[in-house]
Amino acid sequence: MEKERFVNEILNSVENTTKAIPREALFQKIEHRIQERFVSGKTLWLVAASIVILITLNIFFLNENLHSNTPETAHLEYTIHNNNQLYR
Amino acid sequence: MADNATLFQNIYNQYNVLVYNVALHYIQNVEDAEEITQDVFISVYQNLDKFNSDSSLKTWIYRITINKSLDFIKYKKSAKRFFIFGKKSENEYEIQNISTFEHPGIAIENKENAQILFQTLNELTENQKTAFILSKLDGLSNPEIAEIMNTSVSSIESLIFRAKTTLKEKLSNKFESYRKK
């Protein structure tokens, strides 16, 4: 009898419970976390785009140099060779 | 963008108490319940465009909250197991933290009994605990719980019945030790 009363009292102890209210600052915290995630995502894309642009530019200039380097070097070699003839 | 922000604020205003209380009933810790509430609303914000309007917004938010709470409990349990040979004090703190939980919305005269109920609630299976919390603490009807848990009303009736039976058994076992106190 006493045991039954104990069990029932415990089971009924949460009846008429009022709702707990979260702190008012919680919404600001959520907004801040959302902004943080949004900004970090944006930054990540910016970094990725910068790397791609950098690699493309590097490849472009490397190609340019490879194609235009040969005649210039030949001319340079020739002039240097000529200039090096100090005694005739 | 501004419309999205207003919509999100409205959703938060409408459901923050619901989310916080469900999380509080599961986690039984004020700080952790706030953490779960944050996670739930971030998830709502990120997935708002993917929200399937077949179910109601309330049902969807309930599901997210329950899943986040259960994930959090699993994470805590695995962290406990990981630390079992490590820092003993952390384990003890966690156990004490849960066993001394006082629901902020419960009347003073019921606090002690509610504490025992919350302790015993943690010994139920996940589904029994969910059905009991939603029915007894959130005051939802069986069809509403069935929709949230994606099952039939008869299954919910059975879950609540089994939850109450198990609670009664466990509380009867605890009776002797509490009488001695």
Side-chain angles (χ1 to χ4, degrees):
Chain A
M1 191 70 184
E2 205 183 332
K3 193 192 270 187
E4 205 177 311
R5 210 185 64 201
F6 168 81
V7 170
N8 286 333
E9 267 179 16
I10 287 174
L11 283 176
N12 296 329
S13 64
V14 287
E15 266 173 18
N16 305 320
T17 305
T18 54
K19 297 279 179 197
I21 310 289
R23 277 185 291 174
E24 272 187 31
L26 199 62
F27 186 69
Q28 271 99 49
K29 269 189 179 178
I30 293 166
E31 270 188 324
H32 182 71
R33 274 179 66 181
I34 287 171
Q35 267 171 1
E36 237 176 26
R37 281 191 186 195
F38 184 69
V39 169
S40 67
K42 213 171 152 184
T43 318
L44 204 73
W45 278 110
L46 273 174
V47 170
S50 309
I51 291 170
V52 169
I53 290 169
L54 210 70
I55 291 170
T56 317
L57 283 173
N58 269 315
I59 292 169
F60 176 75
F61 284 117
L62 219 74
N63 264 349
E64 282 270 296
N65 276 349
L66 274 177
H67 291 299
S68 59
N69 240 6
T70 332
E72 251 177 48
T73 324
H75 172 73
L76 202 69
E77 272 173 12
Y78 176 75
T79 46
I80 288 169
H81 187 69
N82 271 349
N83 293 342
N84 277 346
Q85 285 182 335
L86 297 172
Y87 309 102
R88 289 195 177 207
Chain B
M1 194 75 188
D3 279 348
N4 247 2
T6 318
L7 176 68
F8 180 65
Q9 172 122 39
N10 287 341
I11 291 172
Y12 177 82
N13 291 341
Q14 202 174 343
Y15 295 108
N16 74 86
V17 176
L18 178 151
V19 171
Y20 179 64
N21 278 274
V22 173
L24 197 63
H25 296 147
Y26 270 98
I27 312 294
Q28 299 167 17
N29 178 291
V30 173
E31 285 81 21
D32 291 341
E34 281 194 352
E35 196 72 30
I36 298 286
T37 309
Q38 287 184 44
D39 291 346
V40 168
F41 280 103
I42 288 168
S43 189
V44 167
Y45 182 85
Q46 283 176 327
N47 298 298
L48 207 52
D49 51 339
K50 292 177 208 157
F51 164 63
N52 181 5
S53 52
D54 285 349
S55 61
S56 75
L57 187 64
K58 190 178 170 185
T59 305
W60 184 56
I61 290 175
Y62 257 116
R63 281 182 191 156
I64 297 174
T65 313
I66 292 166
N67 287 335
K68 292 267 179 204
S69 303
L70 291 175
D71 286 347
F72 186 86
I73 292 169
K74 275 178 200 156
Y75 167 76
K76 279 264 168 173
K77 274 184 186 168
S78 67
K80 252 190 211 179
R81 230 171 282 144
F82 182 75
F83 279 112
I84 201 146
F85 300 113
K87 286 183 271 176
K88 198 184 165 197
S89 57
E90 192 163 336
N91 272 340
E92 278 177 352
Y93 168 74
E94 271 177 17
I95 292 158
Q96 273 174 5
N97 207 20
I98 288 168
S99 62
T100 58
F101 166 69
E102 281 188 7
H103 191 292
I106 286 174
I108 301 165
E109 63 269 22
N110 288 332
K111 285 221 184 232
E112 205 180 322
N113 285 343
Q115 220 175 72
I116 302 167
L117 181 65
F118 277 113
Q119 271 174 36
T120 320
L121 211 56
N122 291 333
E123 295 168 31
L124 296 180
T125 62
E126 268 182 14
N127 280 347
Q128 285 180 15
K129 189 177 172 181
T130 301
F132 187 86
I133 285 174
L134 296 181
S135 164
K136 194 89 174 167
L137 293 157
D138 266 58
L140 297 186
S141 66
N142 288 355
E144 281 175 314
I145 302 169
E147 204 197 335
I148 292 165
M149 293 179 74
N150 215 7
T151 186
S152 64
V153 178
S154 56
S155 300
I156 297 300
E157 284 167 357
S158 154
L159 272 174
I160 295 170
F161 177 77
R162 272 186 282 144
K164 281 184 181 168
T165 312
T166 314
L167 280 174
K168 277 182 185 173
E169 274 171 20
K170 291 191 183 289
L171 288 170
S172 297
N173 295 338
K174 286 179 183 180
F175 171 69
E176 291 301 328
S177 61
Y178 279 98
R179 197 167 62 165
K180 278 174 196 166
K181 287 179 188 174

